[in-house]
Amino acid sequence: MPIRARRTRLLWRTLLAAALAALIATLMSPGAAQGAAPAPRTPGQAPRTQAPRTPGESKPVYSYEDAIRESVWVDTAIDGDADGRTDRVAVDIVRPRELDRTGRRIPVIMDASPYYACCGRGNESQKKTYDADGNPVQFPLYYDNYFVPRGYGYVAVDLAGTNRSDGCVDVGGRSDVQSAKAVVDWLNGRARGYTSRTGNDRTKATWTNGATAMIGKSYDGTVAQGVAATGARGLKTIVPIGAISSWYDYYFAKGAPLYGSGPDGLSNAVESPEARARCGAVQQRLVDGAPRSGDWTGLWSERNHVPDADKVRASVFAVHGMQDLNVRTKHFGQWWDALAENGVDRKVWLSQAGHVDPFDLRRGDWVRTLHRWFDHELLGYDNGIGREPMADIERSPDHWTTDRVWPPRGTRTVGLHPAEGTSPGVGTLGLRPGKGTETFTDDRRLSETDWAGRIDTSTPAKAGFVSKPLGRDLRLSGPATVTVTATPTTRTAHLSAVLVDVGPDTIRDYSAAGEGITTLPERTCWGPSTAGDSACFKETRAKTAAVDYTIFSRGWADLGNWADAGHGRPLTPGKPHTITLDLAASDHVVPKGHRLALIVAGTDKNLIEPPADTPTLTLDLARTSAKLPLVGGAGAFATTAPVTPGESRLDGVAPPRRINPRPGGSTS
């Protein structure tokens, strides 16, 4: 995604060489480089699509201790709580005082969240704090400490219905998105701001040039994607970390329910006590619009950002854990593909961890990269980041590789086929279509680790298909699908499909507490601190596990959705039904000598809920196949001589813990 510098005509280069040299020297000085930004604009005027590109790096030359800290309430122009008055959302701001005195207008970094009062942000669950007069004291996370001294404004927005904001939480709906978009509009002179929640004293954002970045993990990153999908003018870039692209896919997988409650449960967790008392009607709409049947409704259409990727004006720097079992990588994969189809400038980091912020995975590299990204996108610095590889991928704990584009060129969708083996439930996987059948009975007590741990053993609860040992490394990069033709014995049935790398390795222990990290007592500091807002955060290290297999992609479905992905129906016992399961996007290398396995089974304990019945399902192998994204295409799937299956001692990682149903989990 290279972004070419604006070229100056040869004549002007000749005539103005001396002047340009002097200008560059000025821009590179600490004070000017720190504050350089697109030319000032009047409120209501949209920032330029492309800022002038200048060399340099913003420097920490402004006082964090003396920074202006203030609160503004922005009118969202909607009345979510139906009290006859449009809702106002609380916006806490910190910005350099020195630049306010000079009149230089600056860009803004924003994190809009529902978690600032209820649950906290980051690995240490930091919450906002205020002084006796209600002025903001602590801004969670490091964005304020690090970027305000470098000439940025930082804005932390309470979504409607949370903390100090009016309105109601609607979990990804119009009110959530408008809570943040209204603030982008206010920063660009298009919305009204007030000095209090109920008063009439207006205030304008005369201190900013309107260029805005949104960043945040989980729910926060989801809101950033939602605002970007409105095409909001002035939103220059977003950095969604472990974000949801479709709220239906957070709660369901093609009809199969993933949690014990719907969005109403999350709303209850984050709403302020005042909002809870006045928002009963909104809560009921969340219940009515999200039936546990898993049927697609209008509520889910409103909360699906993927179809609106064609409206995105902002660049996107996406981050996701490939073992995130809270916000699964299907969210990243479908969003990424839609952005690519619409030519959106983008960059990605994919880690081996679960629902973890890159600040707690690869801290130094992350902060340096984020700094350069914001300098490029918001200040217009030509620092080369747009010409660097698009993707950073964690291959093993703390070992990262890069790709010029992602998925890499040469990736092809290849069909692999299961076939009968020498014993029931232990089949083969290869390029040629299979034949015969395999039968298993849903056992809701077992999980994917139970199945994978006995991949070479005939067991009644799964059908496993394993390749011969690979003759060379095999890289899978992107999303996959598994099409299953199954005949059930009951009127309801749920299905799971997982891809497994069978062979020894050391991985991040994503299913343990911390989801791949261990928090240490030592702290490192990322900017200046004040008495009420420390820039020092606990260090982490990779939590690893020695394993004999690695599950690297998974997907689920309700077989009752075989005819309509958005609407389930009772099955006909004894009749075959065909359905395609979407497996989460991943990037995994199965090493030479390891084996690639596909497992098809029923309920994946702790990850989907069981059906009403306990079905036995018979797979028609001739009509069952996997379509996998192989780098190098079919020719990359090279195997050696087969090995004799035997009893396995596979232990794998610890069984998945019950996933916390709110985006953010234990490490929100």
Side-chain angles (χ1 to χ4, degrees):
M1 59 170 190
I3 301 175
R4 296 182 177 86
R6 180 175 296 175
R7 294 174 178 169
T8 307
R9 294 179 181 177
L10 179 61
L11 177 62
W12 285 105
R13 278 209 310 263
T14 302
L15 295 175
L16 301 179
L20 285 173
L23 175 60
I24 289 172
T26 301
L27 289 170
M28 289 295 288
S29 66
Q34 151 59 37
R41 41 167 288 287
T42 57
Q45 175 188 349
R48 289 181 295 217
T49 301
Q50 183 69 35
R53 298 298 176 188
T54 59
E57 176 185 278
S58 60
K59 304 292 184 181
V61 297
Y62 300 111
S63 171
Y64 180 72
E65 183 175 1
D66 294 336
I68 295 171
R69 292 169 174 82
E70 59 187 340
S71 298
V72 170
W73 279 260
V74 172
D75 194 323
T76 66
I78 59 177
D79 183 8
D81 52 14
D83 65 353
R85 185 174 65 91
T86 52
D87 303 328
R88 296 180 185 180
V89 293
V91 182
D92 294 321
I93 302 166
V94 55
R95 54 191 177 88
R97 188 175 298 275
E98 298 94 327
L99 293 180
D100 192 67
R101 292 169 181 158
T102 65
R104 177 178 293 163
R105 295 177 178 179
I106 60 174
V108 168
I109 298 167
M110 178 197 302
D111 187 346
S113 177
Y115 292 142
Y116 285 129
C118 72
C119 318
R121 306 308 298 128
N123 194 33
E124 299 175 49
S125 300
Q126 291 184 319
K127 299 179 181 180
K128 286 182 178 180
T129 64
Y130 303 89
D131 65 18
D133 296 322
N135 298 311
V137 174
Q138 175 172 274
F139 290 78
L141 304 175
Y142 62 95
Y143 306 131
D144 55 319
N145 309 86
Y146 188 85
F147 285 104
V148 170
R150 288 171 165 79
Y152 291 85
Y154 178 67
V155 168
V157 181
D158 297 327
L159 295 186
T162 71
N163 201 17
R164 302 200 296 174
S165 290
D166 287 336
C168 301
V169 177
D170 66 355
V171 186
R174 180 175 175 236
S175 180
D176 266 9
V177 174
Q178 185 62 17
S179 293
K181 182 181 181 296
V183 178
V184 175
D185 289 341
W186 176 71
L187 293 168
N188 284 271
R190 300 188 299 268
R192 294 183 177 184
Y194 298 86
T195 58
S196 67
R197 183 171 174 174
T198 57
N200 294 318
D201 292 336
R202 296 274 301 276
T203 183
K204 296 183 179 180
T206 56
W207 48 270
T208 176
N209 59 26
T212 305
M214 291 185 68
I215 189 171
K217 178 189 167 192
S218 201
Y219 202 138
D220 306 14
T222 303
V223 172
Q225 292 183 161
V227 176
T230 69
R233 290 180 293 119
L235 182 61
K236 296 299 186 181
T237 190
I238 63 171
V239 185
I241 301 167
I244 295 166
S245 58
S246 164
W247 281 91
Y248 177 88
D249 292 317
Y250 183 74
Y251 286 104
F252 298 95
K254 199 164 284 187
L258 299 173
Y259 299 112
S261 67
D264 56 304
L266 179 54
S267 176
N268 276 327
V270 302
E271 267 185 338
S272 66
E274 297 86 354
R276 196 170 298 121
R278 65 176 181 261
C279 294
V282 175
Q283 282 277 346
Q284 191 59 48
R285 286 197 294 272
L286 291 176
V287 173
D288 296 341
R292 295 307 292 164
S293 65
D295 287 351
W296 188 279
T297 65
L299 180 142
W300 301 122
S301 296
E302 181 183 326
R303 290 158 175 79
N304 182 12
H305 305 312
V306 178
D308 293 323
D310 60 341
K311 300 177 184 177
V312 174
R313 301 168 183 257
S315 62
V316 178
F317 186 174
V319 181
H320 221 106
M322 291 185 286
Q323 296 289 10
D324 191 340
L325 299 181
N326 182 354
V327 182
R328 295 152 300 280
T329 52
K330 179 180 180 181
H331 293 277
F332 156 73
Q334 61 192 8
W335 175 246
W336 182 265
D337 288 347
L339 295 174
E341 290 172 3
N342 289 283
V344 175
D345 286 339
R346 60 204 187 283
K347 184 176 178 63
V348 63
W349 275 26
L350 296 174
S351 78
Q352 281 198 344
H355 202 55
V356 181
D357 193 298
F359 185 72
D360 298 312
L361 284 167
R362 197 186 181 195
R363 185 166 296 180
D365 288 339
W366 170 248
V367 175
R368 283 188 292 272
T369 302
L370 187 64
H371 178 191
R372 295 175 64 233
W373 182 262
F374 284 154
D375 275 2
H376 183 273
E377 299 298 301
L378 296 179
L379 292 178
Y381 289 148
D382 186 14
N383 55 23
I385 195 167
R387 297 182 292 275
E388 293 175 1
M390 176 184 286
D392 279 38
I393 313 290
E394 189 177 26
R395 292 284 163 223
S396 59
D398 294 324
H399 174 65
W400 295 73
T401 62
T402 62
D403 285 284
R404 176 60 55 185
V405 296
W406 193 89
R409 294 186 178 93
T411 304
R412 301 288 183 269
T413 299
V414 177
L416 293 184
H417 304 272
E420 287 180 316
T422 57
S423 58
V426 184
T428 64
L429 186 67
L431 293 169
R432 295 182 179 179
K435 59 182 180 179
T437 61
E438 287 287 0
T439 300
F440 63 88
T441 300
D442 191 347
D443 188 340
R444 63 191 65 194
R445 300 169 300 175
L446 303 179
S447 71
E448 57 190 31
T449 56
D450 297 306
W451 309 327
R454 304 189 70 188
I455 190 64
D456 292 324
T457 303
S458 180
T459 57
K462 61 99 172 72
F465 308 95
V466 189
S467 75
K468 299 175 183 178
L470 298 177
R472 59 186 178 189
D473 291 354
L474 178 67
R475 181 178 177 185
L476 297 89
S477 185
T481 61
V482 174
T483 298
V484 172
T485 297
T487 300
T489 59
T490 56
R491 292 173 63 81
T492 63
H494 292 168
L495 289 170
S496 301
V498 299
L499 294 176
V500 187
D501 172 353
V502 183
D505 205 349
T506 298
I507 66 171
R508 285 189 183 265
D509 195 354
Y510 62 87
S511 60
E515 300 185 54
I517 63 169
T518 295
T519 303
L520 306 173
E522 296 81 12
R523 294 180 178 271
T524 54
C525 303
W526 299 87
S529 301
T530 64
D533 193 320
S534 174
C536 304
F537 299 85
K538 291 181 178 179
E539 275 288 343
T540 68
R541 65 166 177 255
K543 181 175 178 57
T544 63
V547 298
D548 291 306
Y549 64 84
T550 305
I551 299 168
F552 62 90
S553 187
R554 49 189 62 81
W556 312 278
D558 185 329
L559 187 56
N561 287 56
W562 65 276
D564 183 346
H567 181 74
R569 62 194 68 188
L571 300 169
T572 302
K575 176 184 176 181
H577 302 76
T578 299
I579 193 168
T580 297
L581 287 73
D582 300 318
L583 273 61
S586 185
D587 195 301
H588 183 83
V589 176
V590 183
K592 175 182 178 181
H594 286 204
R595 295 175 293 156
L596 175 65
L598 166 67
I599 299 173
V600 180
T603 301
D604 194 344
K605 181 184 176 183
N606 292 336
L607 293 179
I608 63 171
E609 296 177 17
D613 303 311
T614 303
T616 295
L617 296 110
T618 299
L619 303 182
D620 180 349
L621 300 185
R623 299 169 63 192
T624 297
S625 63
K627 291 185 177 180
L628 308 183
L630 304 187
V631 179
F637 186 76
T639 59
T640 61
V643 296
T644 302
E647 289 295 324
S648 173
R649 64 174 185 83
L650 302 182
D651 295 321
V653 295
R657 59 189 173 84
R658 181 67 180 177
I659 301 300
N660 189 326
R662 67 176 177 85
S666 62
T667 57
S668 62

